Amino acid sequence: MEEEFDIIKYNQEFLNLDEPEHKQEWIDAMQNMFVHTRGSLPEKILSERRPNEDQTLYKYRLSIYEPITTGSINRAIDTLYRIFQSANFSIQINPDLDDYLSVKKFTGQYFYSYIQKFVVRRMIEDANGLLVWLPSGEGLTNPSEKVQVKPVLVYSSNIVQMDDDHITFYQPNESVLINQGGVDVKGKVYYTLTKTHIYRHTEKEKASKNAYELEEIYQHNFDMIPAITLGGNITEDDYFVSYFSPFLPFANESIRQYSDWQGVMTMSAFPYREEVAEDCDHPKCRSGLILDVESGDTATCSKCNGTGYIINRSPYGVFIRAKSNPALDGNTNLTDPVVRFISPPVDIIKYSGEAWQDLLKKAEESLHLLHVVEAQSGVAKAIDREEQYSFLIKISNNIFDEIIYKSLIFIEKYRNLSDPFEPNIQKPIDFTIKTESDLISEINEMKSKNVPVAFLLETTKDLARKRFSGSVTQPRIIEILVSYDPIFHLTVQEKTMLLASGTIQNEDILKSLFAYKTLMEIIAVEGTHFLENELQFIFDNIDKGMQKYLDKEKANKTLNLDEQKMV
């Protein structure tokens, strides 16, 4: 029998226990990703290149740093959203849970939008971080009410303890006021999750016997801890690094090279101005010093600032060349100009600029997400797409098998512990983003090869979603018509052939011809909210509205398809 977790004893000592073995590695991996995803200052990356660099120069390099890698990695993260194309996956859950997830309860987002916008990005940044599901609302104290469920993303740096039977983390978004030495300060709040309970540790005044007050928040009895490690590539030491970790070596080096290029540009990109020095013309100046005859003290000349020369400064810097004296130094070359400009060589500037750009390009290529060159041969392009597919399927499996599946399990158990419904997930198998032209070609090819109608109709729906991506109404109209009219996808000529062969009847043709017109007439009267009804209710209304057209055409006895137009 499993030993019961002693939370009372744990509350007294949890901050004195050893932290997770690889926590520092977690933090290092997270901070290294933040340099690229959030544009954090690359202090460690630059200091490693020149460990003995003067601090003034080092601070200057940091002050002019620009996050050159942020655009590349964020574009790569954006490409992950193709995983969530609705046509690519399906999820079957409890209808009550489906209704619950269809409301913006998750940081102002729907459930799947929250996973896509917040969790996926954090997974890339902090692979060892956690997605924790906590109960809230009236259900915490009122058994007749179902609890609300809120997600909390926990940075790996805030994980205090992590074991098979418990997890403790610091929650920086919560605090309590405590009095220390007569001053109110914010006390810290920690949470501990076990397989049966959720506890909160609230900091108390230092004079207290126990530094933290223990509060039982909820007894969930899941027999599992409601927390999910975000995940990434597993290391030999059994901790995760980001799926985007291959980006780091080239990206880090591109930052170093970029910083060097900035230095080269500052020092060597512009011509130097050289002047012949003129002696300071202050009457009392002697080599930059002014002597007080009475006291014998000396002071710096205010006109030449102690140099002994009058210097004309430029924003690009001035180099002083002493005026030659042929009688003293033997220099008889009196043809040198008083002012001249010296252009430095540009080879190093060109090399440095190209070097950091090449390194950044290699970093992008390492992710297999941003580069499928159209000019490549068919074989090369297929290899690139295969690498891209393998990369996406690895990330997709983690998102659906771990993050989404377990999240749905936890939410379902919080709200229906007595009889939880296990989610059924069909994961994505295709990550291609098809254009309208691709879908039209696919439809034509399906028709030519007599592909089953179900596939053809689904592709037609995809085309509608693509064509009317900014509209909710139009894709729904197409979905209704496709479901209502089994010959919706056929041309007039194809319908005529089916009629001639006896496969369909006159009434089938008429319904196909007038379905769209009838539906639009209903929407004009009822409004677009009519489309939110169940399909059978909509079909019944279309049948009623279409009856006048059917009666009229039957009275004509002769059906001329060429004269019929869809309005």
Side-chain angles (χ1 to χ4, degrees), residues 188-299:
K188 295 181 178 180
V189 174
Y190 295 82
Y191 279 85
T192 291
L193 283 58
T194 72
K195 293 182 178 181
T196 56
H197 290 78
I198 296 174
Y199 301 96
R200 180 164 53 205
H201 311 268
T202 305
E203 188 175 7
K204 299 192 295 185
E205 296 178 16
K206 297 303 182 184
S208 304
K209 182 177 180 181
N210 295 320
Y212 284 82
E213 180 179 348
L214 179 65
E215 177 186 3
E216 180 183 312
I217 300 298
Y218 192 71
Q219 182 175 350
H220 57 76
N221 294 324
F222 292 171
D223 195 30
M224 58 195 306
I225 301 172
I228 306 161
T229 299
L230 296 177
N233 294 321
I234 192 70
T235 67
E236 294 180 356
D237 294 323
D238 203 27
Y239 68 89
F240 293 106
V241 294
S242 173
Y243 287 116
F244 280 20
S245 58
F247 180 84
L248 298 179
F250 286 117
N252 289 349
E253 188 61 26
S254 73
I255 286 176
R256 298 186 187 102
Q257 191 65 41
Y258 174 74
S259 182
D260 288 347
W261 175 74
Q262 284 183 308
V264 171
M265 288 289 292
T266 302
M267 298 299 296
S268 306
F270 306 99
Y272 302 128
R273 179 181 174 184
E274 182 188 68
E275 286 187 357
V276 173
E278 297 290 342
D279 293 333
C280 180
D281 58 2
H282 191 286
K284 295 183 179 181
C285 178
R286 298 294 182 269
S287 299
L289 298 176
I290 295 177
L291 175 66
D292 188 329
V293 179
E294 295 181 359
S295 65
D297 296 332
T298 58

